[in-house]
Amino acid sequence: MKKIFFIFLTLNIFVYAEEVTLDNLLDKISKTSYRKEIYDLEEKKTESLKKFYRLDNYNGIKSSVTTKYDDTEQIYKTTGRAEFGDLYIEGKRNHNPENDLIIGVNKNIKNMIFSQNDSNLIKNDLKKEVNKYIFLKNMEEQKISLINLYRDYKNIEFEIQIKKNGLNTLKSEEKTLEKSFELGAIPKIELESLQYSRKNLEIEIYTLEENLKKIKSRFFYDFNIDISDKKLANITPNYKEINEYISTVGYKDIEKLKIEKDITKENIRYLNYDDKIPDFSIGLERDYRVDENRIVFKISKPLFYYNVNLENEKVSYEQQEILLNQKIEENTAEKLKIETTYANYIKEYRVLKNKAELEKNKYEIKKLEYSLGKIDYLEVMESFDNYMEYEVSQEKAKNILNSYVYEIMVRGE
């Protein structure tokens, strides 16, 4: 007896281990989705740009060599220059004792205060945040698709179960009616009515089972999730925090627009700075040929210059401000729509549940009336079909409601 109980317990544990929930699959897709791979690659790009901007003009050594022939002096003159950041070394070889060697440093004061790469670093961090919200939005869409497929699977699975139960009932009653017909107790039309209903159920069940197989394949091809040997648990969301999730629906789109507006604001900030502050650099160099030190000073500033890039960025900022305000208004409307849809799904499920219970009672009464000889079997079959229809409809309504709650959770997480 103990051995039998242990085997039974082991089998139960095995079956439980093979059951997966919608939460399991949603968690899995967050880690295995191709969208996650794309996002990780985008992260690598932003990190590469961050390294590039930080190096600034210390990104490698710039070198150049030029050689030309001087007809007057009838000699070749070669000039070589190497730069690393603010440091440079320049040499001239004239194929005579008058070779030059200059070593110097030149510092751009304007860039020391605030350079384009400083601005690029700020925008790169903001772009990283934009990429995050794009990824979250993409995952939201993919998760909703997964929820809908999961719901369709459970709907078909339940419909098959209900119709198989109905088929077993009809097969049992068909044997009774066949005997009654053979004894001449009922007309042939009553037996045929049941047989046609039984055949229709068999056709429906076969088609539903084929559809279920296709949906199983779609889990793999759409989401890279293999459920061929697994049982999908019923959809059971957490209703307690639904209002909190509704309150945060749409925040991803809004945050993305805010950050994009901040990027444009940063563009304006740098362009304003670049437009107003002149290029100002100071340097020190040593010329070894003449044995002298020099101080190099340079300042430049365009005059009467119309900065079209700056003006366009200002216009873009105003456009983004309008779009952001519009999105906030639309999001408020969307939340009201969600609350209405949610309430309607609750109402529809409760109504269909009551109707299914009513049709079940009607069917039981019709069977009793038939056994008492008050009605023919055609009315029993009509009542049976109505009961089956409402039983399936109320289960589908429940799954639609529960899956919609999951959709709200995904949109607000």
Side-chain angles (χ1 to χ4, degrees):
M1 183 68 183
K2 288 183 178 179
K3 186 176 180 181
I4 293 173
F5 175 77
F6 176 77
I7 292 172
F8 176 77
L9 183 62
T10 303
L11 287 174
N12 273 345
I13 292 172
F14 176 76
V15 171
Y16 177 77
E18 289 299 314
E19 184 178 71
V20 293
T21 65
L22 181 52
D23 289 293
N24 296 146
L25 299 188
L26 289 172
D27 182 61
K28 184 174 182 179
I29 199 176
S30 297
K31 301 170 184 175
T32 62
S33 171
Y34 72 92
R35 296 180 185 272
K36 178 67 166 61
E37 295 180 40
I38 292 173
Y39 173 66
D40 290 341
L41 292 173
E42 283 295 324
E43 286 286 273
K44 287 184 179 180
K45 285 167 64 175
T46 54
E47 286 302 313
S48 295
L49 284 171
K50 185 176 183 179
K51 181 179 179 180
F52 174 75
Y53 294 139
R54 280 182 170 174
L55 287 170
D56 201 2
N57 60 341
Y58 285 89
N59 186 13
I61 298 174
K62 299 175 184 177
S63 60
S64 63
V65 177
T66 58
T67 299
K68 66 179 182 178
Y69 182 75
D70 191 319
D71 291 331
T72 303
E73 299 182 24
Q74 295 185 337
I75 60 172
Y76 284 96
K77 293 183 178 181
T78 301
T79 301
R81 184 179 177 93
E83 299 177 13
F84 179 64
D86 301 319
L87 306 172
Y88 63 89
I89 180 169
E90 184 176 292
K92 295 181 180 179
R93 181 175 177 81
N94 300 326
H95 298 280
N96 60 41
E98 298 181 352
N99 293 327
D100 288 350
L101 177 63
I102 299 173
I103 296 176
V105 58
N106 186 70
K107 200 71 178 175
N108 189 306
I109 306 302
K110 178 180 178 179
N111 287 342
M112 284 182 64
I113 299 170
F114 185 50
S115 71
Q116 187 170 16
N117 279 331
D118 293 332
S119 180
N120 286 337
L121 279 169
I122 294 170
K123 289 186 291 186
N124 192 59
D125 287 340
L126 292 172
K127 183 64 166 59
K128 187 175 181 179
E129 285 295 301
V130 169
N131 289 340
K132 181 184 78 172
Y133 285 110
I134 290 174
F135 165 67
L136 291 175
K137 185 64 180 180
N138 287 338
M139 285 307 304
E140 175 187 306
E141 293 171 358
Q142 196 169 27
K143 284 181 177 181
I144 290 173
S145 296
L146 175 62
I147 291 167
N148 291 336
L149 189 63
Y150 195 104
R151 178 201 64 206
D152 293 344
Y153 181 94
K154 293 303 294 183
N155 282 344
I156 293 176
E157 184 183 60
F158 180 79
E159 189 171 355
I160 290 172
Q161 177 187 333
I162 288 294
K163 290 188 174 180
K164 279 186 174 180
N165 291 340
L167 182 61
N168 291 334
T169 300
L170 291 184
K171 284 181 177 180
S172 176
E173 293 184 2
E174 185 177 2
K175 293 177 182 178
T176 303
L177 289 185
E178 284 175 344
K179 291 178 182 179
S180 298
F181 173 69
E182 290 171 1
L183 295 173
I186 61 170
K188 188 177 181 180
I189 187 63
E190 294 191 7
L191 174 61
E192 288 180 339
S193 173
L194 183 144
Q195 289 174 334
Y196 282 124
S197 292
R198 188 254 303 161
K199 289 176 182 177
N200 287 340
L201 272 181
E202 288 173 341
I203 293 170
E204 289 175 9
I205 289 169
Y206 173 78
T207 303
L208 288 168
E209 287 178 336
E210 289 300 307
N211 290 340
L212 201 64
K213 291 177 185 177
K214 291 181 176 66
I215 288 183
K216 278 191 172 184
S217 298
R218 284 184 58 195
F219 272 97
F220 180 77
Y221 291 113
D222 288 353
F223 308 107
N224 197 26
I225 296 174
D226 184 8
I227 63 163
S228 57
D229 59 345
K230 294 178 176 60
K231 175 179 172 57
L232 301 188
N234 290 333
I235 305 172
T236 52
N238 179 6
Y239 279 83
K240 293 181 180 179
E241 300 176 357
I242 187 67
N243 289 328
E244 293 181 19
Y245 283 111
I246 291 175
S247 68
T248 53
V249 164
Y251 84 95
K252 303 180 190 76
D253 293 318
I254 292 172
E255 289 302 313
K256 175 176 169 289
L257 288 176
K258 284 181 178 179
I259 298 169
E260 287 174 341
K261 190 161 71 78
D262 288 340
I263 291 175
T264 304
K265 185 177 181 180
E266 178 58 32
N267 282 336
I268 293 171
R269 184 169 82 108
Y270 176 75
L271 289 171
N272 258 323
Y273 171 79
D274 187 51
D275 197 44
K276 292 177 180 178
I277 305 300
D279 271 313
F280 175 60
S281 62
I282 187 169
L284 177 66
E285 63 180 26
R286 169 74 175 172
D287 189 333
Y288 286 92
R289 186 177 69 84
V290 296
D291 191 27
E292 75 175 14
N293 296 321
R294 304 188 189 104
I295 295 177
V296 181
F297 176 79
K298 180 181 178 182
I299 185 169
S300 65
K301 176 73 172 69
L303 299 175
F304 313 112
Y305 174 70
Y306 179 74
N307 195 332
V308 66
N309 291 329
L310 175 60
E311 296 306 315
N312 284 343
E313 287 298 302
K314 288 179 179 178
V315 172
S316 295
Y317 186 80
E318 291 177 8
Q319 290 174 332
Q320 288 172 321
E321 185 73 26
I322 293 170
L323 289 173
L324 176 59
N325 291 333
Q326 180 63 28
K327 177 60 70 174
I328 291 171
E329 294 296 324
E330 289 174 355
N331 185 247
T332 302
E334 180 64 18
K335 289 173 183 176
L336 295 173
K337 181 181 176 182
I338 288 171
E339 290 172 353
T340 302
T341 304
Y342 175 55
N344 286 337
Y345 282 154
I346 292 175
K347 176 209 70 176
E348 188 171 353
Y349 168 59
R350 289 175 177 173
V351 169
L352 286 171
K353 185 178 180 182
N354 290 336
K355 286 185 177 180
E357 188 65 29
L358 177 61
E359 292 300 324
K360 181 181 179 181
N361 293 336
K362 285 182 180 180
Y363 171 59
E364 295 297 333
I365 292 171
K366 291 294 182 183
K367 286 201 297 183
L368 179 61
E369 288 178 340
Y370 174 76
S371 66
L372 296 175
K374 293 183 177 181
I375 60 172
D376 59 33
Y377 204 75
L378 291 175
E379 290 188 48
V380 177
M381 289 313 304
E382 184 179 345
S383 180
F384 174 79
D385 290 340
N386 289 338
Y387 161 59
M388 291 288 290
E389 181 181 345
Y390 277 107
E391 188 68 19
V392 171
S393 295
Q394 69 95 10
E395 181 66 19
K396 286 183 177 180
K398 183 175 75 172
N399 281 336
I400 288 172
L401 169 61
N402 287 339
S403 63
Y404 190 66
V405 173
Y406 264 102
E407 180 180 331
I408 293 171
M409 292 166 64
V410 165
R411 293 178 67 182
E413 67 181 1

